[in-house]
Amino acid sequence: MSQFDVTVIGSGPGGYVAAIRAAQLGFKTAIIEKYPTLGGTCLNVGCIPSKALLDSSEHFEKAKHEFADYGIIINEPKVDLAKMIERKNGVVEQTTKGINFLMDKNKISVFEGVGSFESATQIKVTKNDGSSETIESKYTIIATGSKPSSLPFITLDKERVITSTEALNLKEVPKHLVVIGGGVIGLELGSVYLRLGSQVTVVEFMDKIIPGMDGSLSKELQKVLRKQGMKFELSTAVSAVERNGDSVKVTAKNKKGEEVTYESDYVLVSVGRSPYTDGLGLEKAGVELDERGRVKTNDHLQTNVSNIYAIGDVVAGAMLAHKAEEEGTLVAEILAGQKPHINYNLIPGVVYTWPEVAGVGKTEEQLKAEGVDYKVGNFPMRALGRSRASGDTDGFVKLLADAKTDEVLGFHMIGARAADLVAEGVMAMEFRASAEDIARSSHAHPTYAEAVKEAALDATGKRAIHM
């Protein structure tokens, strides 16, 4: 029986990062993955492929509607969806092969098959051909991620009634795509097909989209996406989804209590994700789950079984790849006797629509609820020279700071490259910076980042220069 110091079950961003960090720290490490490619949901059917399609569709949108304004005259552009999918698959293949390289480089043993506990220290790996082998591990890290959720009355046929996984591989551009759920995944994939020519209707149970983010971002994103052609039905509860041939009917109740229906050729069910623990054999190891089916852990991500840990989407907290990565690093370093720490308040959230949306720290709604005395700095992207030069004038930067100490408490942005610029807010808050610290830091001109400085200036006495 092969023996290891650390075994990781699941090779997504949390799992493979945990394995690499454990190997770097001198542990004999193994990783178990049931699929033929490493990388988990994120690299195979999540973050990476969706961003590839978002980029492709964005280029098409610009070619169709904006190039002429830049003095670029072309014939009417056409969509080659098969080519876009092919490019997306190429990006995925290149990225997952990169993980294989990292496993080899760090001398991590890779087992392909379903990993399940036989005991707290023994893990059975069942391969696709039905054969199996059992390995022994001093420590195990559960990193099995999540799967798309649905509603109990919806039958996912994965042809016309689909999840995000199938939406990445459609054979045609939908005529009308109904998206059930106004969260990150639904809005991103809805944006892809909106740009490619679909009519897109978002049906959301709550009274706003991206409900977990700052309310001002939700309002602005809805306004921008509506301007792009996306339709929204908020405060609307779906009660039935019925397929008839190539047509799908969605029945719902709107905020007035009236029954409404939406006819489409595709329905994307995007109502969140659920932790994936199927087939793990947790009961044999004695590992406990919480009331929502997540692996129960303490502050060190240790389960009730002392040598077993869990990270990422399978435990409590935001289901984000970068959150899982931080947790994978943390567990490996704890096993090595170090004392790492994660500030969960400073895990950024991003929506990769265009413009992009990003936020970190406290939202204005949270500060109000907590009774914190705060001040706000705002700066519109339309007032920025770089934004006017690129034509990306939608959005703003919003900075929240403590009214007395000036410490930055929240950073929220919708605009070009918000996904990258949110790191400035993360860094500032990690070092307990003040709005004045940001305002006094030189930002290159002309850049989108200048909007961050201007928002900080606005927060420190309404000193913004270009507004």
Side-chain angles (χ1 to χ4, degrees):
M1 186 183 299
S2 298
Q3 296 184 334
F4 297 92
D5 299 318
V6 176
T7 297
V8 182
I9 305 177
S11 71
Y16 81 72
V17 168
I20 290 172
R21 189 67 186 118
Q24 288 175 341
L25 290 166
F27 292 109
K28 184 181 179 184
T29 306
I31 193 165
I32 302 170
E33 173 55 59
K34 68 177 182 178
Y35 292 114
T37 56
L38 302 179
T41 293
C42 179
L43 273 62
N44 288 277
V45 291
C47 322
I48 300 303
S50 64
K51 302 313 163 283
L53 286 182
L54 279 160
D55 280 344
S56 293
S57 63
E58 186 185 329
H59 287 313
F60 174 74
E61 173 81 4
K62 288 183 178 296
K64 189 171 183 179
H65 299 291
E66 299 179 26
F67 274 12
D69 293 338
Y70 290 85
I72 304 170
I73 309 302
I74 60 173
N75 294 327
E76 183 70 17
K78 296 180 181 178
V79 173
D80 185 342
L81 184 59
K83 183 65 178 177
M84 287 186 181
I85 300 292
E86 180 186 338
R87 176 185 174 273
K88 178 264 297 181
N89 291 340
V91 171
V92 169
E93 182 180 8
Q94 184 179 15
T95 307
T96 56
K97 282 183 176 178
I99 306 304
N100 289 333
F101 166 78
L102 292 172
M103 296 300 103
D104 290 340
K105 175 187 174 185
N106 289 281
K107 298 179 173 56
I108 297 166
S109 298
V110 178
F111 293 86
E112 183 183 331
V114 175
S116 60
F117 288 98
E118 291 290 288
S119 69
T121 57
Q122 292 187 342
I123 305 165
K124 180 181 179 182
V125 182
T126 304
K127 302 174 185 178
N128 290 333
D129 62 7
S131 64
S132 65
E133 64 179 303
T134 301
I135 64 174
E136 189 157 6
S137 187
K138 183 177 180 181
Y139 299 105
T140 300
I141 303 173
I142 301 168
T144 45
S146 61
K147 58 184 177 181
S149 298
S150 185
L151 297 172
F153 52 82
I154 295 179
T155 299
L156 294 168
D157 61 28
K158 300 187 178 182
E159 294 175 350
R160 295 282 171 175
V161 184
I162 61 175
T163 70
S164 56
T165 300
E166 294 79 45
L168 295 168
N169 289 292
L170 294 183
K171 300 288 190 261
E172 62 179 351
V173 176
K175 297 178 182 67
H176 183 196
L177 174 67
V178 170
V179 180
I180 300 176
V184 177
I185 297 171
L187 295 179
E188 288 182 356
L189 291 172
S191 289
V192 168
Y193 290 106
L194 179 71
R195 295 166 185 167
L196 299 182
S198 299
Q199 176 187 340
V200 176
T201 302
V202 176
V203 182
E204 168 58 46
F205 176 76
M206 299 193 63
D207 61 356
K208 61 181 179 179
I209 59 173
I210 51 170
M213 302 188 84
D214 191 272
S216 61
L217 297 182
S218 173
K219 289 178 183 176
E220 182 72 5
L221 181 61
Q222 184 178 340
K223 183 179 79 174
V224 172
L225 291 178
R226 184 179 280 132
K227 185 170 66 175
Q228 293 174 6
M230 192 175 287
K231 297 180 180 180
F232 294 93
E233 301 291 341
L234 306 181
S235 301
T236 301
V238 173
S239 55
V241 176
E242 302 167 281
R243 177 182 174 182
N244 183 13
D246 291 344
S247 177
V248 187
K249 183 173 78 171
V250 176
T251 304
K253 279 193 176 180
N254 64 20
K255 58 185 174 184
K256 296 179 182 178
E258 303 166 333
E259 185 173 278
V260 292
T261 59
Y262 309 95
E263 297 282 349
S264 66
D265 51 339
Y266 287 90
V267 169
L268 169 59
V269 181
S270 184
V271 292
R273 298 181 65 85
S274 306
Y276 190 83
T277 58
D278 297 356
L280 269 175
L282 296 178
E283 65 285 351
K284 291 185 179 180
V287 174
E288 296 177 355
L289 300 178
D290 67 13
E291 69 284 355
R292 296 176 61 180
R294 302 171 299 194
V295 178
K296 195 184 297 185
T297 62
N298 62 18
D299 290 343
H300 291 164
L301 298 170
Q302 184 181 40
T303 70
N304 61 297
V305 180
S306 62
N307 69 309
I308 300 176
Y309 293 73
I311 63 173
D313 288 5
V314 81
V315 302
M319 290 185 173
L320 297 168
H322 44 285
K323 177 252 196 188
E325 290 178 356
E326 296 298 327
E327 291 180 334
T329 297
L330 179 134
V331 170
E333 291 178 351
I334 285 174
L335 295 181
Q338 299 181 13
K339 299 186 182 298
H341 172 70
I342 297 174
N343 184 345
Y344 283 99
N345 182 51
L346 299 186
I347 302 292
V350 179
V351 188
Y352 293 89
T353 49
W354 195 261
E356 293 173 337
V357 185
V360 66
K362 297 291 186 179
T363 65
E364 192 164 357
E365 291 78 10
Q366 287 173 325
L367 293 177
K368 286 179 180 177
E370 294 169 11
V372 176
D373 189 11
Y374 67 94
K375 54 187 179 179
V376 183
N378 278 294
F379 190 79
M381 299 303 286
R382 66 178 179 274
L384 205 63
R386 181 69 180 89
S387 293
R388 289 194 296 273
S390 68
D392 297 303
T393 55
D394 287 320
F396 57 82
V397 173
K398 176 179 178 179
L399 190 144
L400 305 171
D402 188 283
K404 298 183 180 66
T405 67
D406 197 39
E407 181 180 347
V408 179
L409 303 175
F411 176 92
H412 308 283
M413 178 180 179
I414 176 169
R417 304 305 170 204
D420 299 302
L421 290 172
V422 72
E424 185 166 345
V426 175
M427 189 67 71
M429 284 184 276
E430 282 285 7
F431 284 91
R432 306 287 299 273
S434 65
E436 184 73 21
D437 289 328
I438 297 175
R440 294 287 178 183
S441 301
S442 179
H443 288 60
H445 174 76
T447 59
Y448 301 117
E450 286 178 284
V452 178
K453 177 183 172 114
E454 292 273 9
L457 283 166
D458 189 50
T460 56
K462 304 305 174 186
R463 294 155 48 198
I465 301 299
H466 294 94
M467 181 177 67

